[in-house]
Amino acid sequence: MSGRSQGLSRTLSRPDLRSVFLNVPFDQQYGELFVALIAGLVCLGRKPRCVLEIESSGRSRLERIFGLLAGCGASIHEMSRVQLSGPLNVPRFNMPFELGLAYALSRRRQHAFYLFEEVAHRIEHSLNDLNGHDPQVHDGSPAGVLGCVLDCFETPRKSPGLKDLLSVYDELAEVVYGLQQDRKQPDPFRRQVFRSTVEAAAVLAKAHGHIR
């Protein structure tokens, strides 16, 4: 076995089944939905992971992204950003690309991937190769996202309900706003803000009795 193959084998070993990789757009419009994802997942005993944890440069960035994804038992892939955007007016390929990595990973070992969309039935046209993998439709609202998280990750034991998750989300959103103000950041998509958001979500989830 080559050194590269051995490295891949190590990458694919021992995933943390509680960890959930978040493949989402990093734009201000998605900020509150990102916070809702974190609040919901943490309240259900999951650990959000994201490429924000990885340095933005370096030749090994793609390998590190795959390693982070492979270390998670599940992943969420936001497929709502299908329009042209940015100064060059081009589509965003990172999210469907990382979804492809997750699909390939799921063919090698246990890995559950979930598609999130804002608009019902749109993915049938934007990504029809995935017909048969129905997306979770959230309508672009935090409540919708939290409902989708519950549908995907509700546990056999008594899970918090949607109202419970919304209560934690509202409190977490205030914390995140303060973090952004302190760091003069327009959105939560910064490494330190992400880490602090996950930590704050855990404190709030424990205070509300959702996790120990």
Side-chain angles (χ1 to χ4, degrees):
M1 181 181 291
S2 69
R4 189 175 186 83
S5 297
Q6 290 175 342
L8 178 60
S9 296
R10 286 193 295 271
T11 298
L12 293 177
S13 66
R14 297 181 183 177
D16 178 1
L17 298 182
R18 292 176 54 251
S19 292
V20 181
F21 182 86
L22 302 181
N23 174 20
V24 302
F26 295 158
D27 58 46
Q28 282 184 274
Q29 292 75 19
Y30 200 82
E32 64 178 8
L33 304 188
F34 186 60
V35 175
L37 278 173
I38 294 171
L41 288 170
V42 171
C43 284
L44 293 176
R46 304 286 175 146
K47 182 179 179 181
R49 306 299 303 273
C50 183
V51 295
L52 293 170
E53 302 172 56
I54 296 173
E55 294 180 6
S56 60
S57 60
R59 293 180 59 185
S60 63
R61 176 171 167 77
L62 181 56
E63 288 186 18
R64 283 179 286 154
I65 290 174
F66 182 73
L68 181 60
L69 173 64
C72 298
S75 54
I76 290 173
H77 303 268
E78 179 62 59
M79 293 290 108
S80 63
R81 294 301 191 266
V82 295
Q83 70 274 20
L84 302 180
S85 62
L88 297 179
N89 200 35
V90 295
R92 305 187 200 182
F93 291 131
N94 281 352
M95 285 166 288
F97 178 76
E98 290 174 17
L99 170 59
L101 293 178
Y103 176 79
L105 183 64
S106 74
R107 304 293 291 175
R108 295 286 299 273
R109 63 147 172 82
Q110 180 182 357
H111 181 88
F113 64 91
Y114 302 96
L115 311 180
F116 277 35
E117 239 288 11
E118 182 176 340
V119 179
H121 306 299
R122 181 166 58 180
I123 204 167
E124 297 166 12
H125 302 277
S126 64
L127 199 59
N128 61 8
D129 279 351
L130 280 172
N131 282 347
H133 294 273
D134 294 332
Q136 297 285 330
V137 179
H138 54 69
D139 299 320
S141 70
V145 163
L146 290 170
C148 293
V149 170
L150 278 172
D151 286 344
C152 295
F153 297 101
E154 188 172 20
T155 58
R157 64 176 177 78
K158 186 176 180 351
S159 296
L162 181 58
K163 287 182 64 175
D164 300 315
L165 298 189
L166 277 169
S167 180
V168 173
Y169 162 73
D170 287 338
E171 293 180 39
L172 183 61
E174 292 186 17
V175 172
V176 174
Y177 178 76
L179 290 170
Q180 291 176 211
Q181 293 293 103
D182 289 344
R183 292 166 172 77
K184 296 181 172 56
Q185 301 293 344
D187 55 57
F189 303 111
R190 301 295 186 274
R191 185 185 306 177
Q192 289 302 324
V193 175
F194 171 68
R195 288 176 177 171
S196 296
T197 300
V198 174
E199 291 170 0
V203 171
L204 291 170
K206 288 177 183 177
H208 282 259
H210 302 320
I211 62 175
R212 295 179 180 178

